[in-house]
Amino acid sequence: MPGQQGRRKESLADLQSSIKSRLSVLRNTLRGSAWMTSLGLDEGKFHDAVSDVATYISTLFSGSSSTHADEILFRLKRSFGERKLDRFAGLDAQLRLLIYRRIAALTASPPLLKSQQDVADLRSPLEWYPAARRMQRKIHLHIGPTNSGKTYQALKKLEEANTGVYAGPLRLLAHEVCARLNAKGKPCNLITGDEQRIRDDVVAGMDSCTVEMVTLKADVDVAVIDEIQMLAHPERGWAWTEALLGVRAKDVHLCGEERALPLVRHLAALTGEPLEVHRYERLSPLESSATSLNGDYRALRKGDCVVAFSKVKIHAIKKEIETTTGKRCAIVYGNLPPETRAQQARLFNDPSNDFDILVASDAIGMGLNLDIQRIIFQSVVKSTSGGTRVLEISELKQISGRAGRYRTSFQDTNARKTVGSPSLNVAKALPNASTHQRMTSGLVTTLEEVDLPVVQHAMHSHARPIVFAGLYPTRSLIGRFATYFTPDTPLSYILFRLQALSRVTAPFQLCSLTDQLSVADHLELIPGLTVTDRLLFCMAPVSSHLAKEASILKALARCVSEQHDGDLLRIPEMGLHILDTPPQPDLWYLSSLETLHRGLILYLWLSYRFSGVFITRDLAFYVKNLVEERINNVLSDDRFTAGARARLRREVRRRAKTSTLVQDQIMMEGGEETQVKVGPGWNTKGDGDIAMTQTSQVRSPNAI
């Protein structure tokens, strides 16, 4: 296609021009830095280093190809594509890493390199937890598919113990387990990154945590570590490795998928601890459909869940379904607050209302126990930070496993009465439950026929076993490594060198430091932060590639740097003014609320680490609740529903007798194209990604 080729060449030319200008900016920013002088790099050598990077990038565009070169070019293209989203921060980060790599090659000193490699030696992670090694622990692995009762059985062991800890992947799960243990008379504390509820009326013997927050300093009877297959997660896997190797529990119960067994068995052999495997079968049948929906949303029925992989698609599909079928839709995706996801799940699960359909992302894969009868994949292709790819077998099976249910009538009635309710994964029924049981077969299919064979193949295939457990250097190790550099050396350079020099052995693998490098870059020009301060910010829950969240991050970092009053009301970057705007049922307003909510989560997270700075924690919790309520109101706004649009059409037709202008409006509304108003200049491009636009015309969800 000549037109497409022309646009592609024009885009590449824009990319090359932007790279040239951003390299010039970085050269001026980094030149003359004292830390470079300490490395023996004068201004002339630094200029040569940047020139070498520019020459290398030119070869990437000339057609010279290798796997490594293709990966670098892809990252440059991707970050350039997000320039309106992050104001070139992503492109700068990629270019900065290339400059760092060249600087390291020019300044490497063999004796110094040897000393740094010794500090960066991560080959003996078992020795990091001597107290756990001295215990006589026993490991129990509960493995089975979704809806098999494995987590239920592990939690029964926790309930029977005097002391214990639950570690899960989501705040939502930690909240639910805490509520259930307290309801059963087992005093339990809630400990997540941004919220800590410590029982002050009794001494609680139980903790319910997100996995990153598990304490390794107390002996307990039982520990339950959920979703153990996340050992292999490229960013968060280190937390599961740390919990498994370091938790001081007599009995360690792991819950997860069959594919985790070889790795857990290997780790148990390394620690010399006995392993007992408990296998579970799915409690209700799961089948793949013989046919797709052939692109027709009119074939949807009550209890269906349509799965898509970007926020804009989810909202567009919701509108399309409500327009086409008249059925109301609940929605769930990752950027929604956990509390809002729970509220949307309640709407969908409640048979007494008219929310018949759920439109969701892969966020339903864990956490929420939803009354889904059939999963429909809008597509089996997902866009990620690494590009567009077909879903893996493990992903397809985990999402598909949400269809069908095996629950008791008692749980159906009472799960919604539990604090934080929509009954979660932990509420699976036992096969021999004495109350009336309800078993419903689960179905999985696709919207389009072309995707159906992929799903059918996955349903009859085994996911590949995971082979690596993630590692992350401890803060003390990073601190020791940082002593080899001058105090003004950018933390991103220190982390880059640590990542490059780290040595690990199977079955361990260093987790990606990409997010930490990005945060470190954002904080580089903020003076007064210690290495410890910067490391804490690097671990904070923030999407620093989003310009708005990056501005909140830097504002909070300045509060720490200047040690001034971190009063929530005195931080304009938080965007509290959005609460003064009347609720609007559009994506711009919803995205603004979601950004504010993530900013509040970050504020709360930091308030537990810098309590003397961020002093308005109670106010932040109050505002967080207001934001969640506002998000719920926007999502349930009647102006989103098919019934409201029908009433509007009737009103328009009534007025059409006297207004030709309104007649034109009727024609447009009844046409094939629907204008989706997004707000003043913003539209969402992914699960939280934002790009400049005015309106987007949607012919069908597949075209988005």
Side-chain angles (χ1 to χ4, degrees):
M1 300 277 297
Q4 291 180 347
Q5 291 176 356
R7 286 192 294 273
R8 191 176 297 114
K9 289 180 179 178
E10 183 178 334
S11 178
L12 287 175
D14 289 343
L15 171 58
Q16 289 174 291
S17 175
S18 294
I19 288 174
K20 183 177 179 180
S21 65
R22 300 313 299 178
L23 277 175
S24 178
V25 170
L26 288 172
R27 178 188 283 115
N28 293 332
T29 301
L30 297 173
R31 66 190 301 174
S33 300
W35 66 274
M36 288 195 186
T37 304
S38 72
L39 293 174
L41 195 72
D42 59 28
E43 192 162 333
K45 289 182 179 178
F46 171 66
H47 179 83
D48 292 342
V50 178
S51 298
D52 290 344
V53 170
T55 301
Y56 172 71
I57 292 175
S58 296
T59 65
L60 299 180
F61 288 96
S62 67
S64 122
S65 180
S66 69
T67 302
H68 181 64
D70 288 345
E71 181 181 351
I72 291 175
L73 185 57
F74 169 77
R75 289 178 178 174
L76 291 172
K77 289 179 178 178
R78 184 189 66 208
S79 57
F80 176 70
E82 297 174 346
R83 62 195 181 281
K84 293 179 181 178
L85 171 69
D86 62 10
R87 301 170 189 168
F88 286 104
L91 184 59
D92 285 354
Q94 294 299 324
L95 295 174
R96 191 188 298 264
L97 288 179
L98 292 175
I99 293 173
Y100 285 170
R101 185 173 298 163
R102 186 57 185 157
I103 290 173
L106 292 173
T107 60
S109 160
L112 181 62
L113 197 62
K114 174 66 169 60
S115 298
Q116 292 175 351
Q117 285 176 332
D118 289 343
V119 174
D121 191 338
L122 309 179
R123 290 178 294 181
S124 302
L126 274 68
E127 299 175 4
W128 299 354
Y129 315 102
R133 298 290 75 78
R134 289 193 294 267
M135 294 185 69
Q136 297 297 316
R137 304 192 312 171
K138 182 175 182 179
I139 299 174
H140 300 261
L141 178 59
H142 303 261
I143 53 175
T146 306
N147 200 11
S148 61
K150 56 185 181 293
T151 307
Y152 177 90
Q153 295 285 5
L155 286 172
K156 290 291 289 182
K157 297 299 182 183
L158 182 61
E159 291 172 12
E160 294 168 3
N162 292 321
T163 59
V165 59
Y166 168 82
L170 303 172
R171 286 192 299 130
L172 193 63
L173 282 170
H175 274 264
E176 182 70 8
V177 172
C178 181
R180 289 180 183 277
L181 288 173
N182 281 311
K184 290 178 177 291
K186 307 289 291 189
C188 182
N189 301 317
L190 173 69
I191 305 175
T192 71
D194 55 88
E195 186 175 10
Q196 297 182 17
R197 298 181 187 174
I198 308 300
R199 293 284 297 265
D200 55 9
D201 55 334
V202 294
V203 177
M206 300 286 176
D207 288 337
S208 183
C209 316
T210 45
V211 70
E212 289 86 351
M213 298 299 295
V214 173
T215 179
L216 307 180
K217 297 180 180 180
D219 293 346
V220 295
D221 296 327
V222 172
V224 174
I225 304 174
D226 211 353
E227 303 293 351
I228 191 61
Q229 72 277 358
M230 290 189 72
L231 281 164
H233 193 280
E235 284 86 33
R236 296 181 66 195
W238 64 269
W240 274 263
T241 303
E242 182 177 83
L244 172 55
L245 297 181
V247 70
R248 290 159 55 175
K250 298 174 186 175
D251 289 286
V252 181
H253 291 262
L254 314 176
C255 308
E257 301 173 12
E258 176 80 29
R259 62 194 179 107
L261 176 57
L263 179 58
V264 171
R265 184 170 278 153
H266 189 172
L267 293 174
L270 289 176
T271 61
E273 294 166 333
L275 170 66
E276 184 174 342
V277 179
H278 309 266
R279 281 190 166 86
Y280 301 85
E281 298 297 327
R282 185 178 165 88
L283 298 176
S284 62
L286 178 64
E287 304 170 356
S288 57
S289 177
T291 59
S292 72
L293 268 61
N294 291 310
D296 188 0
Y297 286 124
R298 291 174 297 181
L300 291 173
R301 54 184 185 246
K302 185 176 179 62
D304 281 350
C305 173
V306 180
V307 177
F309 298 104
S310 78
K311 186 168 84 172
V312 71
K313 283 185 180 180
I314 287 170
H315 283 280
I317 291 169
K318 174 181 184 292
K319 180 167 184 174
E320 178 79 4
I321 291 171
E322 291 180 343
T323 302
T324 303
T325 68
K327 294 181 172 68
R328 296 192 70 178
C329 300
I331 58 174
V332 169
Y333 54 88
N335 266 8
L336 287 177
E339 297 79 3
T340 301
R341 280 180 258 167
Q343 187 259 4
Q344 290 290 302
R346 282 194 293 271
L347 290 175
F348 175 71
N349 287 342
D350 188 350
S352 65
N353 64 34
D354 57 350
F355 284 87
D356 295 340
I357 309 296
L358 179 66
V359 185
S361 72
D362 48 358
I364 64 167
M366 62 178 68
L368 295 170
N369 187 14
L370 296 152
D371 290 349
I372 297 171
Q373 296 180 8
R374 182 172 60 167
I375 291 284
I376 298 103
F377 286 93
Q378 183 261 345
S379 173
V380 295
V381 175
K382 180 180 182 180
S383 295
T384 68
S385 58
T388 302
R389 62 174 177 82
V390 177
L391 293 173
E392 296 181 3
I393 290 174
S394 59
E395 295 172 306
L396 286 165
K397 296 187 87 164
Q398 182 160 31
I399 297 170
S400 300
R402 311 314 296 157
R405 54 195 181 275
Y406 186 103
R407 299 167 57 192
T408 67
S409 59
F410 175 83
Q411 288 169 327
D412 282 337
T413 303
N414 291 279
R416 296 177 178 85
K417 298 179 182 178
T418 305
V419 177
S421 47
S423 109
L424 302 186
N425 285 345
V426 299
K428 298 294 188 292
L430 286 169
N432 60 350
S434 59
T435 52
H436 294 292
Q437 295 168 340
R438 184 160 58 88
M439 182 170 67
T440 304
S441 297
L443 286 175
V444 55
T445 187
T446 58
L447 180 64
E448 303 292 348
E449 194 70 24
V450 67
D451 292 327
L452 187 57
V454 177
V455 172
Q456 291 173 330
H457 172 74
M459 291 300 100
H460 296 91
S461 303
H462 295 290
R464 289 178 297 178
I466 59 174
V467 294
F468 289 110
L471 279 184
Y472 189 81
T474 63
R475 273 192 290 166
S476 61
L477 187 150
I478 296 174
R480 292 200 305 274
F481 189 80
T483 61
Y484 286 94
F485 304 87
T486 58
D488 60 343
T489 303
L491 180 60
S492 58
Y493 182 76
I494 296 173
L495 292 176
F496 167 77
R497 293 299 292 148
L498 178 59
Q499 186 173 32
L501 296 176
S502 292
R503 289 181 288 179
V504 297
T505 55
F508 301 103
Q509 183 170 278
L510 192 66
C511 285
S512 170
L513 301 180
T514 303
D515 291 340
Q516 288 79 4
L517 291 169
S518 175
V519 172
D521 280 340
H522 281 295
L523 302 184
E524 182 182 339
L525 298 180
I526 297 177
L529 293 174
T530 66
V531 170
T532 301
D533 293 339
R534 295 176 187 273
L535 286 174
L536 277 173
F537 273 94
C538 285
M539 300 300 293
V542 60
S543 300
S544 60
H545 66 285
L546 301 178
K548 177 62 178 174
E549 289 189 52
S551 70
I552 295 174
L553 172 72
K554 287 185 278 192
L556 297 177
R558 281 191 292 270
C559 292
V560 174
S561 170
E562 299 165 8
Q563 287 294 298
H564 68 65
D565 179 7
D567 190 323
L568 182 66
L569 299 178
R570 297 180 183 177
I571 306 174
E573 291 85 354
M574 292 295 296
L576 295 174
H577 61 275
I578 191 67
L579 295 175
D580 296 328
T581 304
Q584 304 168 23
D586 59 46
L587 292 184
W588 169 82
Y589 186 78
L590 184 59
S591 293
S592 299
L593 290 174
E594 291 169 357
T595 299
L596 172 56
H597 190 273
R598 290 193 295 273
L600 292 166
I601 292 294
L602 176 60
Y603 183 96
L604 290 167
W605 191 92
L606 292 170
S607 75
Y608 289 104
R609 281 84 182 167
F610 301 98
S611 57
V613 176
F614 303 107
I615 59 175
T616 51
R617 184 189 300 157
D618 290 343
L619 175 62
F621 274 118
Y622 174 75
V623 177
K624 174 176 168 284
N625 290 334
L626 288 180
V627 174
E628 289 162 1
E629 182 179 346
R630 185 70 62 90
I631 290 174
N632 292 339
N633 291 340
V634 170
L635 292 178
S636 60
D637 195 309
D638 195 49
R639 284 173 285 178
F640 274 149
T641 68
R645 282 191 291 274
R647 290 193 294 273
L648 177 61
R649 281 194 293 270
R650 288 194 295 270
E651 176 65 13
V652 168
R653 290 190 182 97
R654 185 183 66 79
R655 297 180 183 180
K657 297 177 182 178
T658 56
S659 172
T660 56
L661 178 63
V662 178
Q663 288 177 345
D664 292 340
Q665 183 179 346
I666 295 173
M667 294 297 292
M668 186 170 66
E669 188 175 4
E672 293 182 357
E673 293 186 346
T674 303
Q675 288 281 343
V676 181
K677 183 62 179 174
V678 188
W682 294 96
N683 181 23
T684 56
K685 191 180 70 173
D687 234 353
D689 295 340
I690 302 174
M692 289 299 294
T693 185
Q694 291 300 324
T695 58
S696 60
Q697 288 188 331
V698 182
R699 292 183 182 273
S700 77
N702 293 322
I704 301 172

